[in-house]
């Protein structure tokens, strides 16, 4: 089970079954998922496969809370992209939380968890090149542009950014 992480304003804690509707709202929002590569399955099925009893996620994944309000999702996992050798972070916030610096808190906490707690040499992020907000956020946290990744099947391009434990 993922350890809880705290930032100045947020608590990242493992999902519980009661978080299902909040997760579904987040991943059902096209404004949120337009920047994310989503599996070909609806959000409710995805949640149930990952978080209900009997199903186990094999990487660290969190529901993000601001007080009593669910504001997002975060994870650090072995990259599913064969072009990325290592772990990558994923984060998403509800639109009501955008523009308040919460994404930076989430990304910083998850990155630190990867480098310090998990002992990774580097943490990666793959970002749509048009997602200027996420690119700027990661660069502020010390991530450096490495290269563009092109999906062999779809031709879609992602920008790979990396931060090293030797920064």
């Amino acid at each position: 089970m993922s350890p809880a992480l705290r930032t100045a304003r947020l608590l990242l804690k493992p999902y519980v079954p009661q978080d299902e509707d909040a997760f579904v709202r987040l991943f059902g929002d096209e404004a949120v998922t337009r920047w994310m590569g989503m599996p070909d399955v609806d959000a409710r099925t995805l949640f149930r496969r990952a978080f209900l009893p009997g199903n186990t996620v094999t990487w660290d994944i969190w529901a993000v809370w601001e007080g009593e309000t669910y504001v997002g999702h975060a994870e650090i996992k072995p990259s599913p992209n064969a072009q990325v050798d290592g772990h990558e972070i994923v984060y998403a916030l509800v639109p009501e939380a955008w523009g308040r610096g919460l994404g930076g808190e989430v990304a910083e906490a998850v990155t630190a968890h990867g480098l310090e707690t998990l002992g990774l040499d580097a943490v990666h992020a793959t970002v749509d090149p048009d997602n200027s907000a996420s690119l700027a956020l990661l660069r502020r946290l010390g991530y450096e542009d490495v290269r563009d990744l092109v999906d062999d099947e779809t031709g879609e391009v992602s920008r790979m950014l990396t931060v090293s434990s030797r920064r």
Side-chain angles (χ1 to χ4, degrees):
M1 180 176 283
S2 304
L5 305 177
R6 290 193 179 278
T7 72
R9 297 176 286 176
L10 302 172
L11 173 62
L12 286 69
K13 63 182 184 177
Y15 278 96
V16 296
Q18 295 81 1
D19 298 334
E20 181 176 346
D21 288 339
F23 179 95
V24 169
R25 276 191 303 279
L26 177 70
F27 286 100
D29 189 325
E30 289 182 20
V32 173
T33 60
R34 72 181 272 207
W35 302 116
M36 304 175 78
M38 295 297 294
D40 291 332
V41 64
D42 67 276
R44 192 163 304 280
T45 300
L46 184 63
F47 184 89
R48 290 177 178 176
R49 282 184 186 169
F51 305 116
L52 291 187
N55 298 309
T56 56
V57 174
T58 58
W59 59 87
D60 287 326
I61 188 165
W62 301 272
V64 180
W65 295 85
E66 182 180 31
E68 298 297 315
T69 304
Y70 175 88
V71 294
H73 170 91
E75 54 189 276
I76 185 166
K77 63 183 180 179
S79 180
N81 187 326
Q83 300 175 62
V84 179
D85 183 22
H87 285 66
E88 71 177 79
I89 65 169
V90 176
Y91 54 92
L93 296 176
V94 297
E96 299 80 22
W98 294 354
R100 299 183 19 228
L102 299 179
E105 285 187 38
V106 171
E108 185 172 32
V110 174
T111 299
H113 175 73
L115 296 174
E116 298 165 11
T117 305
L118 300 179
L120 302 174
D121 291 331
V123 174
H124 309 287
T126 55
V127 181
D128 185 304
D130 293 329
N131 188 346
S132 57
S134 195
L135 290 169
L137 180 157
L138 292 164
R139 290 173 183 142
R140 278 194 307 275
L141 294 178
Y143 280 77
E144 296 179 355
D145 292 68
V146 176
R147 67 181 182 274
D148 284 345
L149 309 173
V150 180
D151 185 295
D152 291 335
E153 293 178 21
T154 66
E156 291 181 19
V157 176
S158 296
R159 174 95 18 91
M160 180 176 148
L161 298 96
T162 300
V163 66
S164 167
S165 60
R166 296 175 286 283
R167 58 180 167 149

